[in-house]
Amino acid sequence: MKNFGKKIIINKLTALAKEIELASKKYFQEDSPLLSDGEFDSLVARYKKLKKENPNLVPDNDPILKIGSPPSSAFAKVEHNVPLLSLSNAFGQDDVIRFDESVKRFLGLEFSHELDYMAEPKIDGLSLGLKYINGKLFTAATRGDGKIGEDVTHNAITIRDIPKTISNAPEVLEVRGEVYILKSEFNKLNEFQRSKKEKIFANARNAAAGSLRQLDSEVTKNRPLRFFAYSLGTISHNLASSQKQLMKVLSNFGFTINEDRHSCRGVNQLLQTYEHICNKRESLDYEVDGVVYKVNNFSYQEILGARSNSPRWAIAHKFPPEESFTKLLSIEIQVGRTGTLSPVAKLAPVEIGGVMVSSATLHNEDFIKGFDNAGNRIRDGIDIRVGDLVSVYRAGDVIPKVKSINLAERTIDSKPFFFPNCCPGCGGKLIKQKDESVIRCHAGLSCRAQVLERMKHFVSKQGCSIEGLGKKQIISFYDLGWLSTPVDIFRLKLNHGKNSDKPLEKLANWGRKSAENLFDSIDDSRDLGLERFINALGIRYVGEVVSLTLARYYETWTVFHKKMLNIARGKTDDFEELNNIDGIGLKSAEELRIYFESKETEKLVEELLLEINVTRSVSRTVLSPVSGLTVVFTGSLEAMSRSEAKSFAEKMGAKVSNTISLKTAILICGAGAGSKLRKAKEAGVKVLTEDEWVKLVKS
Ligand SMILES: [Zn+2]
């Protein structure tokens, strides 16, 4: 058994080592990454951890010792007199604090001493060493493996930011810096590549690396390469005594230096600068993957020296990864309020985009099996299994998603995941619709999971927002038989108040005060805005945005309800009207019709309206020359996008529709308007240009 465990670890280490080596080669030598930086870093971190725990099982071919890359044989070799080292990384505040402490320990300074540092954005480009002899550019070399780099002089001379001659330079001068491409120019470059059917670059860094490492300098010449200078190959006391001074010297030599650098005293100022650069990251026109801190004083730098791979006087504080590998611990099936079954990945907690993530969506059964919604193979058709390493990412603030899997840690005894064949919430039958990849439980109100989800949705912030009534309370009241529909919430005080047979205050964990508080907050929610009420009903494809659109359009519950009942009874013109509201799709319209057709809905709504008072949509208070009018946009607008124009019109109290009808009051016409304009003229609808419309609204 012990040997078996050993075997597994050796297999894991070897498999991880292979993955790292391959990814590293693709990244450094072929400039076409297999993995994102975050994914690569997380694999390396896993490997290092496993290696540390099992120091005697490390494979001979340890890839960590040779990250970076041997120079490609396509280029002549250049030896770096002073190794061109990479920086060690800090992944969090603690690492930075430890770095600062270790520097002071090494220098024999008091821990209370506040050291001077220079902090600057870490540009995601390619390091380049430029050697000048008697002021003339002699060689330009990539990092390579740190000791020997590739000679790319013929390409470097095509970069405008790199001076070819320097006046008043020392006899030998080596300047180091980063070759990069601006984000804006990167996009143009890819557009150009696409038009020529040439290789599309994955990111600006790869484009920069691929452009610099060209055999034909004519190609490099036409690439928008730039260069920031930031250090010297040798620390020369003759030139400067600190990093801060050096930057001035480099600038005087004619180099471009990054203006966004900061002098910092002590570790707290470093961390503040990090925040500052992190916040403006998106607005910078170059890719930044962290902040570099350098001990400012050159005599300190000299004492500190270097380890085998990195200097002791600098560190790169990396931004949180946007995606990362982590272990899939289990797959849970959640039942949504409309009966949809969603598989959720429970993960070993991992930091992504600065947030700890411990679960991610797995979309549906097909996704787990290795197919997309259209039945095409994804991930080469490899399925996802519990125990796998999965790469997780967040896009915006939405639920984290699983991007890919890595088989390095999959063991022989791992088993495919089987989707349940009955509902985990009620044991009911599952149905998979032909044209949908989702599986649903159709038990409706007899499915415990669905009822609980509907109830949770009803009381949520976007619904009637009842403080003190959360998931835990709902489950406990449901299991006691106190709540089975949202109506019961508003009867809780009547049925379970202090003078009732089963008073809430007598339940475990409840008391007089907390029970009163809950009843009060339920009473507070009896006045409910129309959009919140519609959303609270939990109709499929009718979420927050659609509810708001409906509330703005129909204004009052009476009108909305009447129209919905007409639609349910088959009145086609009302259905048409609904379907024509800008922002309402056919799917939502269909679901609304189905919802209001049901007897169950009729009863629920009737009972709810005895308990609550639905108020007009709050956003309809604006009085403007267009409030209440139905307007249609057509053609392409100049001043704003269609969606901006729409939300502006709604803010001004207008209703926006997609088609010309008897209700249309104004057609706003942009360039290239066609059939709608004709129709509007036929129907005698007022037609305005974009300018006229803006003037009218603002009058
Ligand atoms: Zn069910």
Side-chain angles (χ1 to χ4, degrees):
M1 192 62 212
K2 207 175 162 203
N3 267 334
F4 182 65
K6 212 164 143 183
K7 184 99 200 295
I8 289 179
I9 291 167
I10 292 176
N11 283 346
K12 271 189 194 176
L13 272 165
T14 317
L16 281 170
K18 247 195 208 150
E19 299 276 337
I20 291 167
E21 198 172 354
L22 180 66
S24 184
K25 190 171 161 231
K26 282 272 181 193
Y27 183 87
F28 286 107
Q29 272 173 288
E30 296 169 25
D31 304 320
S32 60
L34 280 181
L35 303 175
S36 71
D37 290 2
E39 288 175 325
F40 183 77
D41 286 346
S42 65
L43 273 195
V44 171
R46 277 194 91 74
Y47 178 80
K48 280 186 174 167
K49 184 170 171 264
L50 211 56
K51 197 170 101 166
K52 204 170 160 191
E53 288 162 359
N54 306 280
N56 44 355
L57 301 181
V58 179
D60 299 335
N61 207 11
D62 189 351
I64 301 299
L65 301 177
K66 42 181 190 190
I67 286 185
S69 68
S72 156
S73 57
F75 297 92
K77 295 179 172 59
V78 176
E79 195 179 338
H80 298 297
N81 299 20
V82 175
L84 211 168
L85 301 172
S86 50
L87 298 180
S88 54
N89 291 325
F91 291 103
Q93 286 200 6
D94 291 350
D95 290 348
V96 179
I97 292 167
R98 263 198 298 277
F99 161 73
D100 177 59
E101 284 173 357
S102 73
V103 167
K104 286 186 278 201
R105 195 179 308 119
F106 205 96
L107 294 173
L109 299 169
E110 293 281 333
F111 266 33
S112 57
H113 182 89
E114 295 202 313
L115 267 170
D116 285 331
Y117 291 98
M118 280 296 285
E120 62 193 29
K122 183 175 182 298
I123 295 155
D124 201 7
L126 187 76
S127 321
L128 188 68
L130 303 170
K131 192 184 264 179
Y132 291 84
I133 294 185
N134 294 322
K136 282 210 173 70
L137 180 60
F138 184 67
T139 53
T142 64
R143 185 203 314 273
D145 62 4
K147 294 186 186 76
I148 295 174
E150 296 155 331
D151 186 346
V152 290
T153 316
H154 61 296
N155 294 331
I157 53 176
T158 70
I159 301 175
R160 260 183 307 155
D161 288 343
I162 296 178
K164 315 309 173 273
T165 54
I166 298 173
S167 44
N168 303 324
E171 200 183 317
V172 178
L173 171 72
E174 196 199 339
V175 175
R176 288 171 175 182
E178 201 82 358
V179 173
Y180 67 99
I181 288 180
L182 291 179
K183 286 185 204 167
S184 50
E185 291 177 332
F186 166 70
N187 292 332
K188 276 189 226 151
L189 173 63
N190 259 354
E191 263 169 47
F192 176 78
Q193 294 287 99
R194 202 167 290 128
S195 74
K196 296 272 165 210
K197 297 206 161 58
E198 298 270 350
K199 175 181 170 170
I200 305 292
F201 296 102
N203 54 47
R205 190 216 168 263
N206 289 112
S211 303
L212 185 66
R213 301 172 73 249
Q214 276 288 336
L215 296 176
D216 181 0
S217 60
E218 278 303 306
V219 176
T220 311
K221 205 171 101 185
N222 293 315
R223 298 280 170 82
L225 291 173
R226 289 167 185 266
F227 181 79
F228 271 139
Y230 52 57
S231 72
L232 293 180
T234 43
I235 297 168
S236 169
H237 290 98
N238 304 330
L239 283 175
S241 65
S242 70
Q243 182 67 25
K244 195 174 172 181
Q245 265 188 13
L246 173 67
M247 297 311 275
K248 284 206 186 100
V249 172
L250 289 175
S251 175
N252 290 338
F253 279 157
F255 288 97
T256 308
I257 55 172
N258 193 334
E259 291 305 328
D260 203 2
R261 56 188 195 283
H262 304 261
S263 293
C264 299
R265 175 157 292 174
V267 72
N268 285 331
Q269 285 192 8
L270 289 182
L271 296 174
Q272 279 162 19
T273 306
Y274 176 82
E275 280 301 311
H276 167 76
I277 294 176
C278 203
N279 288 335
K280 67 190 280 191
R281 179 182 184 186
E282 292 303 319
S283 66
L284 295 171
D285 197 16
Y286 44 81
E287 298 284 354
V288 176
D289 62 349
V291 181
V292 177
Y293 308 138
K294 292 174 182 167
V295 172
N296 188 41
N297 186 319
F298 277 177
S299 46
Y300 282 165
Q301 285 194 9
E302 214 162 345
I303 299 169
L304 286 157
R307 303 174 208 95
S308 62
N309 279 324
S310 54
R312 285 194 193 85
W313 44 265
I315 198 164
H317 189 178
K318 300 271 265 198
F319 290 141
E322 302 295 319
E323 49 197 45
S324 181
F325 278 109
T326 188
K327 204 173 181 99
L328 175 58
L329 301 177
S330 65
I331 297 175
E332 271 180 20
I333 304 292
Q334 289 179 357
V335 185
R337 60 171 205 268
T338 57
T340 308
L341 266 60
S342 330
V344 175
K346 293 289 160 186
L347 307 165
V350 60
E351 192 188 357
I352 294 164
V355 178
M356 282 313 269
V357 166
S358 58
S359 58
T361 177
L362 288 168
H363 308 284
N364 51 50
E365 185 183 18
D366 290 341
F367 183 80
I368 297 176
K369 284 185 174 162
F371 297 96
D372 69 8
N373 290 348
N376 303 314
R377 275 165 27 125
I378 47 172
R379 305 184 304 263
D380 294 329
I382 297 169
D383 64 327
I384 295 177
R385 300 181 184 188
V386 171
D388 282 346
L389 281 183
V390 292
S391 150
V392 182
Y393 69 100
R394 284 170 73 233
D397 281 330
V398 298
I399 317 162
K401 294 184 171 128
V402 167
K403 180 180 150 198
S404 62
I405 55 170
N406 186 299
L407 298 179
E409 296 196 15
R410 183 179 282 189
T411 51
I412 334 157
D413 55 348
S414 81
K415 290 181 187 66
F417 177 77
F418 284 107
F419 217 80
N421 45 26
C422 58
C423 171
C426 69
K429 203 171 117 194
L430 297 178
I431 294 170
K432 186 171 176 173
Q433 233 106 27
K434 248 188 282 150
D435 52 343
E436 288 183 69
S437 44
V438 296
I439 296 180
R440 302 177 70 199
C441 163
H442 281 250
L445 283 184
S446 54
C447 175
R448 177 177 182 270
Q450 282 184 56
V451 175
L452 289 174
E453 284 307 313
R454 281 187 204 187
M455 223 79 100
K456 268 158 46 186
H457 177 79
F458 191 86
V459 303
S460 69
K461 285 247 155 18
Q462 297 80 31
C464 66
S465 183
I466 300 176
E467 217 172 297
L469 190 58
K471 181 178 167 185
K472 217 177 80 191
Q473 292 78 17
I474 286 177
I475 293 175
S476 109
F477 295 162
Y478 178 88
D479 289 338
L480 285 166
W482 292 9
L483 292 186
S484 56
T485 84
V487 181
D488 296 332
I489 295 168
F490 299 100
R491 296 178 179 161
L492 207 57
K493 190 175 176 180
L494 183 76
N495 295 332
H496 303 284
K498 61 183 176 196
N499 299 322
S500 65
D501 293 348
K502 293 174 187 160
L504 172 61
E505 60 184 62
K506 293 283 189 273
L507 282 189
N509 300 323
W510 288 88
R512 171 74 51 99
K513 189 80 198 124
S514 55
E516 290 295 329
N517 285 345
L518 179 59
F519 296 143
D520 285 349
S521 70
I522 291 172
D523 283 341
D524 286 347
S525 72
R526 285 179 197 265
D527 279 319
L528 197 57
L530 178 57
E531 62 274 18
R532 299 241 302 249
F533 184 59
I534 296 173
N535 188 34
L537 293 174
I539 304 160
R540 224 174 157 217
Y541 299 124
V542 181
E544 224 181 320
V545 177
V546 171
S547 301
L548 186 60
T549 308
L550 291 170
R552 279 178 171 159
Y553 190 87
Y554 292 105
E555 299 184 33
T556 64
W557 169 255
T558 318
V559 174
F560 172 73
H561 193 214
K562 192 176 137 220
K563 294 277 184 180
M564 293 305 121
L565 291 179
N566 286 345
I567 289 167
R569 284 185 204 113
K571 262 195 89 184
T572 48
D573 52 342
D574 285 328
F575 185 80
E576 204 108 299
E577 184 188 359
L578 167 67
N579 195 29
N580 280 337
I581 302 172
D582 201 5
I584 307 293
L586 186 59
K587 265 180 167 180
S588 310
E590 265 301 316
E591 290 292 337
L592 282 160
R593 186 181 61 74
I594 294 167
Y595 184 81
F596 283 97
E597 246 174 25
S598 105
K599 286 269 166 283
E600 195 188 288
T601 302
E602 202 180 311
K603 180 164 173 275
L604 175 71
V605 166
E606 197 177 293
E607 290 180 347
L608 273 174
L609 290 175
L610 295 175
E611 303 293 341
I612 61 178
N613 169 38
V614 182
T615 57
R616 284 173 88 89
S617 166
V618 281
S619 45
R620 292 212 54 84
T621 48
V622 183
L623 269 179
S624 82
V626 298
S627 33
L629 300 183
T630 301
V631 302
V632 175
F633 288 93
T634 188
S636 58
L637 303 177
E638 296 270 320
M640 33 185 144
S641 73
R642 183 67 72 85
S643 62
E644 279 168 342
K646 183 193 161 211
S647 80
F648 178 65
E650 284 172 348
K651 235 185 246 160
M652 289 294 137
K655 304 171 186 182
V656 182
S657 175
N658 271 335
T659 50
I660 306 285
S661 72
L662 287 175
K663 288 183 190 292
T664 314
I666 303 171
L667 176 75
I668 299 102
C669 231
S675 63
K676 279 185 193 168
L677 178 58
R678 238 184 0 258
K679 234 174 144 189
K681 281 182 176 159
E682 279 164 20
V685 171
K686 188 170 174 183
V687 178
L688 294 180
T689 65
E690 193 183 352
D691 282 349
E692 289 167 340
W693 158 252
V694 173
K695 257 184 226 148
L696 170 69
V697 172
K698 292 191 168 161
S699 63

